[in-house]
Amino acid sequence: MSGRPSPLRFEAGLQVLAARYSFGWLVLANAVGALLAVLLLVPEWGRPLGALTYGRWVPLHLDFQLYGWCSLPCVGLLFRRYLMPEARSLFHANGLFALWSLALVAGGAGWLGGGSLGKNFLEWNGVPRLFFVGVLGLLWALLVFHRSHPRNGRAFHGWETLFLALLFLVPPALLWTTRPDVYPAIDPGTGGPTGASLLGSTLGILAIFGVVPRCLELARRGAATDRAERLFLRCYAGTLTLFLLLPHHDSSHRDAVQWLSLGTLLLWIPVLYSYFGAFHWQAASALWRGALVAWWTALVVTGFLSFLPGVLDAIKFTNVLVAHSHLAMAGMLTSFNFLLLTNLDPGKENGAAPLFEDRIAFGLWHGGLLLQLAALVGLGFQEIAHPLAFFRHEAPVGGLLLLRLGGGAAMLAASVRWLWGFAFLRV
Amino acid sequence: MKTGADSPSAARSDWGVTGIFVVAGVYFYFLIFAQFAFLHLAEKGAGGEVLRPVMAVMGGSGLLGSFLAPWLLRRLGPRRLARIALLVCAMVGWSATRAVGAGLFFAVAAGIGGALGMLTVTCAARLGTFFGTKRLGLKAGLATGLAYGVANLPVVFSASPASQAWMASAGCLVGGILLSLSRPERSEPASASPKPAPFPLGSGLAVFFALVWLDSAAFLVIQATPALNRWAWAGAIRQEENSLIHFAAAVLAGFLLDRGGWRVVVAGAFGSLAAGIGCLGSAAFHPLAPWFYAGGVSLYSTALLLFPSAGRGTNDPDARAAWTYALAGWIASALGIGMAQHLHGIPGWFLGAAGATVLWGVTPGEWLRRRERAVPLFGIVLLLALIYVEETMQTRPESAPEGIALGRQVYIAEGCMACHSQYVRPGSPDETLWGPATTASAAVSAAPPLIGNRRQGPDLQNIGNRRSIFWNRLHLEAPQVFSPGSPMPSYVSLFEGDGRRGEALLLYLQSLGAETVPQRREEIAAWRPKEGVMPVSSARAGELFEKNCAVCHGIEGRGNGPLASQVGGDEGPRDLVKAKWEFVAANDRVVGLARVVKFGAPGTSMPGHESFSDADVLALAAYVDALGAKAKNPHSPKP
């Protein structure tokens, strides 16, 4: 028998596509992160880069992680739910992934060229900004087109249509938030976000967590799933009501209402654990589901503790908070992304399952991340105790930066290993 | 156990006069007392600072009352529950006029919220008990119009808060007595339904949520703005007009709702509210604003009263009423008030979003389904229009920025905020290091704010009061010369060519905190090393001097270091050997010198060494002080 292999089912092909683009951006973002770690450790090695100094590379690291690695698995999830399950849809998905990536490349080139807006994670400016907003609009139009196509035999619930309608708000929201004069309420005590803002953004993440099992059409565990869903919804309604009723103007973390309301997120540790446990996930994702629950617990507990009066006063602007961000992105969100990608396809014919279960890469990633966290916390405490030694990289700052670079290198290696695996899978 | 009066066979007469008065009494109590007179009484009796928590308690207990109502309705029946809640309303209304101190006002607020929550749900869920079975819309309109109309009559509107509390309490008491005295006719059912609303519960909730939010925000803006307040409510004629418009609009709404005109009423309410808000924006149209506002409020209030009973099929009106009044009543009100307090206005985008919600709610589903395929195209066109508006709205300078403005752009372009914050946290060690402290409003006053969120180097909020332009230039070109070991890269490329960008960056840095020099001087003068701190060894002080000071002052402190000719403008670095230290008090010489070492001399090129420890600066001060003595007596011990 010869000839071309038969095309993969839609879900299997989509899984490979989404993973390929996502890992591609993870590798790029990690490579920039490693470069930043090198520039901090040995600044003179940056001379060959000329005007492309440390500050110009930082937006690339942050935004490639956010708009690349952390976003594209969710785009894959939207495709999985709304696109018609046929070969032509893979062509559409590929085109959209490519356009999205092109916008991110344009953004990266702009930031490197000094075209940043000056707002962390919202650096979009000039033509790349409009390009990216346009891509978001195209994504929405593509989803609606497939959702309403007569050939799409899937049944959609009312909430899925409402969700799609709400997605239309994303491009205008990005357009609005990337205006220079738009800035959220701040904590006058630190210049950072208020407790209400942090609660609101976590609610956004929880909303995504909430819809994932249904979007993936995971098998349910009978009455236990119903109970877990009801619990999730009630807790969400309660937390959302609390968020809506909180004062949303500038408020200090020393205001008890702010830190107490953030403390309600502690409730979400067992709730999320029971919610995720109420569905049948792909066996290949067991490792990452465990990691997600562990990182989520660590994130919520450290997030609450680090917002407490006295604690936040000490660690604000230091690497301890940078460690918290790494815990969120490289720990919790990365585990979630793996959970998503692994469960995009219920079958095994595309050969992706062993790559998701790769224990060497899993170990490299988590070992590297733990090293990074330890180094960042050490650097933060050094900065709190001896700012001069920190600013001038006196001992032990150099050693800690080296440790951080080592951790970053291990994580880069893991991401290259994943990308390499998916690069050779057919779609 | 149900009473005879509450049994299904015991319903109100179709005239429903008593019911109209009872429902009007509830609305009147809410309008004139709960959201108006009570807040004045609380402010007067317990101070302005309790208003927010008091409102929060009222809102919270209102939510609780709303959700408890269905359960209580099943156990007590609507008439008994209404009588109890009316009595509670009357009692807490009277108590408010006697209350003194925050504690009592919190208790009264809880009573008002809880009782009103139960009453509104009871009235809306069991319309048959109050209005009978026919012309429910018209009766709801009469009740709503009566409440708004009376509340806006000059004699009521202009009365003192205490008198208004008495009137509201009396209204509830009379309502309760009337309800107790009235006997329902046996031949009619207790439950009754108006013409069904053409939108499901979710859509209806979203629509009323948007309308109440909009109304609350508009009310607060008008109330808090003296010019608008005058146009809206000042003078007997204006109040009588308001009264009449409220009544007419509510009755009209009821008439239309009896004929199934839900879409007309809801869309009309939004259109009227939006027109009223639009009129607020222009002084020429201010006189029209109250008419539109009053009309819109009465239209939707009548529909809101009817909506819980207007579900199709097996919908449970008790649960519908609880959700409607909890979400669209209490929470949307709180959000409207919060938005108006925070933003001091109603943003255009919010008005647009509310309009889109109402439009979506009132658009027939079938109509939408037929046009589903056109939605992506419509969305793209809408987005392109938004992008066009966004691009044309942005104000762009006519010429390329120069000076400080260009310097700020360079700061952003080079990503300086990746390593440097611009926020000196009040009450933190930042103040000593880089003070004076920043205020939140100052931090966000420039677009975009450059607060930053991490540091690899010092905060730059007040760099202009700590470093001279000469120092900054040298530091940008070769950072490690002044800060050995610093990871900061060289920005010498900014000064190449015409050097415009580099010069602009220097100007920008110099402008940061330049106005705070006097304040910084005061802070420096007040600084003393921590009690009990001992200086580090003189050998360590020598190392520090060689590493940090010799580059300008020279290894022997004679002001002849390698960079001496490039810093300090006309004066250059001081000769520490000959220095007389005339600005340092003789009896506090070492501490005075330590201040100079730590904070430099604002206004000169002498930089501070803010992140040095107290032990380091004390040792350096002693070292510098000893330089003169050493020169006079070369055989003296090494400083």
Side-chain angles (χ1 to χ4, degrees), chain B residues 248-263:
Chain B
V251 173
L252 176 67
F255 176 80
L256 290 170
L257 290 169
D258 274 341
R259 281 152 186 76
W262 281 88
R263 291 194 176 100

Side-chain angles (χ1 to χ4, degrees), chain A residues 117-138:
Chain A
L117 179 68
K119 291 165 77 172
N120 279 334
F121 288 113
L122 288 169
E123 277 94 355
W124 295 100
N125 199 9
V127 175
R129 170 179 177 243
L130 301 182
F131 184 18
F132 187 57
V133 170
V135 172
L136 289 174
L138 270 182

